[in-house]
Amino acid sequence: MALTVASHHGDIDESLVPGTVHLVDLEHTMATQHAKDQKDIVLVPTPSTDPDDPLNWTPRRKYLALTCALLYTWFNGMALSVVYSVLVPLSTALSVTEADLNAGTGYMFLLLGWGLLFWQPFALQYGKRLTYLISLLALVAITVWGPYARGNGQWIANRVLTGFFGAPIEALPETTIADLFFAHERGTYLGWYAFTLAGSNFFAPIICGFINDGVGYRWVFYFQAIFCAVTWVFLFFFMEETNYDRRTVGVVAESNDGVVNPTPDTEKSKEASEDPSDGIKRIPSPVGGSSVATKTFWQKMSVIDKPRPFMMHYRAWQSLKLLSWPVVFYSGFSYGTYLIYFNILNATSSIILGGSPYNFRPSLVGLSYISCMIGVVAASAFTGVFSDRFIIRLARRNNGVFEPEQRLWLFTVSSLVIPSSLILWGVGAAHHVHWFGLIFAMGTTAFANTMGITLSVSYLIDTYRDISGDALTTCILIRNTMSFAIGYGITPWLKNLGYQNCFISVAFVGLAICCVFLVMIKWGKKFREMKRVDYWREVKKRIDLGLVH
């Protein structure tokens, strides 16, 4: 397996299939940087010599940035999920039918996706820090308006604006994680992100039900606005910009005195930077980085990132073009499939548990989401820490070479869990099974949903890390368009088919769709090979323009 050797001018070995990397140095012969705590793990991508390169930050600096991104995700996610356990009382208070409330949620999800065509290019152009702050500030105002959005027109408008300004939650934290962490550890932190994303959506109904019972439906919205405002203050003082204009991609051979060291891997490369002037000196240990940062505190707190060539329109168009790339499309389709199950659960939990024979109060409907939280925690650990160890183990068995499809084997679990959970939830509700059966189904559905988040995003970033900012936008466009469709149609679907027939059909369709991961395991590398030339051409262009982060 050849190393990807890049120069200051973007010279790249275009014979390499995107995503295929030599992750484990079994023979300890690769002249490149390795992990500090695991001597045979190659750092992918190779960090620069700059101590302000996020890959070189100290662990404390990295974890502070990660904490800010996760806090944003958690409280943004809660603001997006205030209505799930109070659908029935909210319908009465706002004079909006339950079908229209769910339709509004569908429009919100549509804008959560398509809004990224503006926000993701904006964040990469002007700074992620600025985007986080604008998003939270707008959500504070829109959430305060929520309990006064009477009638269908105002409610839809409120949900559309919520979706647009909340859209960065869908791709910006993943991009931040890709900025901060290497390939062998990225899955762990994406697991943390999946926990905050899915966990916030399940935690909000737990507290919102009690808030509604205690002080009324308006405070369901007010409390979320207060949480967002406090988070905004925290991010303003502690969230550091992670945009960094990278001049190299993949694995870069270490150099001595400006000359790239030949290794058995670099000698096999198609072109391994034959010009000695292309050599790049590397710091000996990037993990932990330099103890001295070049930025002052006030430079770190700058709201506007450094100036770059205006490319927002190009990035937005590129995100649409990526719809034709098989791996990108599959990642969005997979993500969307698992989100649909989450939407079905949220759209029906208040109706099923609040109706006969269960007759749960809104607070008890909210408490039922504790089961979902347990499922989220379990899935985050499984697809995070465990998946990183799993892919390292498979890479060792594959002569040290990591293929992105290796992580997809974990989808075996969710492909079995999803249909079982949906049948238990829908058929169980139709036959009035004990409430514990439904609560258990909620937990296992949340487990599978969280798996879908982590594995789908990890597969995309593992494959196309250097254009992942735009590829994630494409992924979310697909995912949320699917979510919009199901949010708009779930209520009439249930009324026309009934719980039993509806969920049996959903379960078997879900089983078939989930098993598509087997197609990617079989032919995923061929799909990556199909777009190899296009990918490296795009990466070289971005390096020359300073757009690789």
Side-chain angles (χ1 to χ4, degrees):
M1 174 62 201
L3 288 171
T4 306
V5 181
S7 79
H8 285 289
H9 304 289
D11 295 329
I12 298 169
D13 181 1
E14 297 182 19
S15 68
L16 300 177
V17 179
T20 299
V21 294
H22 205 146
L23 184 63
V24 185
D25 185 7
L26 297 174
E27 299 178 357
H28 303 280
T29 57
M30 295 175 63
T32 189
Q33 295 189 43
H34 295 65
K36 187 175 181 180
D37 54 344
Q38 295 174 286
K39 300 298 184 182
D40 60 346
I41 300 298
V42 177
L43 295 180
V44 183
T46 303
S48 70
T49 58
D50 184 358
D52 276 323
D53 178 351
L55 292 174
N56 287 333
W57 287 0
T58 62
R60 180 178 179 179
R61 195 174 173 187
K62 285 188 176 187
Y63 288 133
L64 181 59
L66 176 66
T67 298
C68 290
L70 296 182
L71 283 173
Y72 168 83
T73 303
W74 182 267
F75 290 109
N76 185 331
M78 286 184 63
L80 298 176
S81 310
V82 295
V83 304
Y84 293 138
S85 64
V86 291
L87 277 175
V88 175
L90 198 62
S91 174
T92 302
L94 298 183
S95 301
V96 180
T97 66
E98 291 174 13
D100 287 336
L101 286 175
N102 282 328
T105 301
Y107 287 116
M108 181 185 73
F109 274 107
L110 190 66
L111 267 295
L112 282 170
W114 288 89
L116 282 177
L117 284 176
F118 172 81
W119 287 115
Q120 194 74 348
F122 181 87
L124 297 173
Q125 180 77 45
Y126 297 109
K128 298 183 179 74
R129 171 176 160 81
L130 175 63
T131 307
Y132 282 123
L133 294 175
I134 292 176
S135 172
L136 275 179
L137 195 61
L139 280 176
V140 171
I142 296 168
T143 305
V144 169
W145 173 36
Y148 301 98
R150 293 183 177 275
N152 188 47
Q154 284 196 51
W155 177 252
I156 295 298
N158 179 272
R159 293 295 89 187
V160 165
L161 288 175
T162 300
F164 178 75
F165 284 102
I169 191 178
E170 304 287 13
L172 205 54
E174 299 104 299
T175 311
T176 299
I177 289 171
D179 291 340
L180 294 167
F181 300 103
F182 298 99
H184 71 280
E185 58 188 359
R186 196 182 298 134
T188 296
Y189 300 108
L190 285 173
W192 291 16
Y193 163 73
F195 166 74
T196 55
L197 181 65
S200 62
N201 282 262
F202 292 128
F203 182 71
I206 295 175
I207 64 170
C208 287
F210 285 100
I211 293 172
N212 178 76
D213 286 354
V215 290
Y217 74 95
R218 287 180 177 171
W219 279 95
V220 169
F221 293 85
Y222 294 161
F223 272 111
Q224 304 308 325
I226 293 169
F227 293 152
C228 286
V230 173
T231 305
W232 185 92
V233 173
F234 185 88
L235 264 63
F236 182 82
F237 287 105
F238 297 106
M239 182 72 201
E240 190 174 348
E241 181 58 60
T242 62
N243 275 356
Y244 183 80
D245 297 337
R246 201 166 296 285
R247 303 301 299 171
T248 63
V249 296
V251 179
V252 181
E254 272 199 337
S255 59
N256 292 316
D257 300 322
V259 181
V260 176
N261 290 329
T263 69
D265 289 297
T266 56
E267 287 172 359
K268 292 185 216 171
S269 299
K270 184 178 179 182
E271 284 186 64
S273 188
E274 296 175 356
D275 184 354
S277 65
D278 284 344
I280 305 170
K281 295 189 72 175
R282 300 293 169 194
I283 56 178
S285 176
V287 182
S290 171
S291 60
V292 180
T294 58
K295 286 184 180 180
T296 66
F297 174 79
W298 294 112
Q299 286 175 327
K300 293 178 182 179
M301 293 300 100
S302 174
V303 177
I304 304 293
D305 197 14
K306 74 176 200 177
R308 295 182 176 86
F310 184 80
M311 297 294 289
M312 283 184 62
H313 60 296
Y314 174 79
R315 288 186 178 277
W317 174 241
Q318 190 65 24
S319 295
L320 295 176
K321 288 173 63 177
L322 290 174
L323 286 167
S324 64
W325 291 33
V327 168
V328 178
F329 184 85
Y330 166 74
S331 297
F333 180 75
S334 172
Y335 199 167
T337 299
Y338 283 94
L339 182 67
I340 282 175
Y341 308 136
F342 162 76
N343 289 345
I344 291 174
L345 180 68
N346 281 329
T348 57
S349 60
S350 185
I351 299 171
I352 290 176
L353 295 177
S356 178
Y358 307 106
N359 299 316
F360 281 18
R361 300 190 308 276
S363 57
L364 291 180
V365 174
L367 273 181
S368 68
Y369 279 83
I370 293 177
S371 173
C372 296
M373 290 295 299
I374 295 172
V376 168
V377 171
S380 298
F382 181 66
T383 58
V385 176
F386 176 79
S387 76
D388 277 344
R389 296 177 180 176
F390 179 73
I391 60 123
I392 290 174
R393 182 181 180 88
L394 291 186
R396 291 185 193 279
R397 293 171 58 183
N398 193 34
N399 297 318
V401 177
F402 165 67
E403 304 283 2
E405 289 77 26
Q406 291 168 350
R407 204 185 294 267
L408 297 183
W409 282 111
L410 298 177
F411 269 133
T412 304
V413 176
S414 58
S415 297
L416 297 175
V417 169
I418 276 295
S420 305
S421 302
L422 291 174
I423 289 175
L424 179 57
W425 174 256
V427 177
H431 291 274
H432 302 159
V433 299
H434 190 274
W435 59 265
F436 181 79
L438 301 185
I439 302 303
F440 183 82
M442 290 176 71
T444 51
T445 302
F447 174 85
N449 167 250
T450 308
M451 283 191 65
I453 295 173
T454 311
L455 296 179
S456 301
V457 172
S458 293
Y459 181 53
L460 177 60
I461 296 178
D462 286 341
T463 303
Y464 299 131
R465 192 262 177 205
D466 302 303
I467 62 168
S468 59
D470 298 320
L472 281 167
T473 299
T474 312
C475 175
I476 302 302
L477 287 177
I478 298 167
R479 190 205 78 166
N480 283 27
T481 302
M482 295 172 65
S483 178
F484 165 74
I486 197 67
Y488 193 81
I490 183 61
T491 302
W493 189 11
L494 281 171
K495 287 183 177 178
N496 291 332
L497 287 183
Y499 291 126
Q500 178 168 305
N501 292 337
C502 175
F503 280 94
I504 288 176
S505 62
V506 169
F508 283 97
V509 170
L511 176 63
I513 293 175
C514 288
C515 287
V516 173
F517 82 93
L518 296 171
V519 175
M520 299 306 295
I521 287 176
K522 177 71 173 177
W523 291 291
K525 189 168 184 177
K526 290 184 178 180
F527 292 144
R528 289 187 283 125
E529 170 67 29
M530 285 170 51
K531 293 298 179 179
R532 172 179 56 82
V533 175
D534 292 339
Y535 175 73
W536 291 124
R537 184 188 302 120
E538 182 64 25
V539 170
K540 289 172 70 174
K541 180 178 181 179
R542 293 182 182 219
I543 289 176
D544 292 337
L545 293 172
L547 299 177
V548 172
H549 298 288

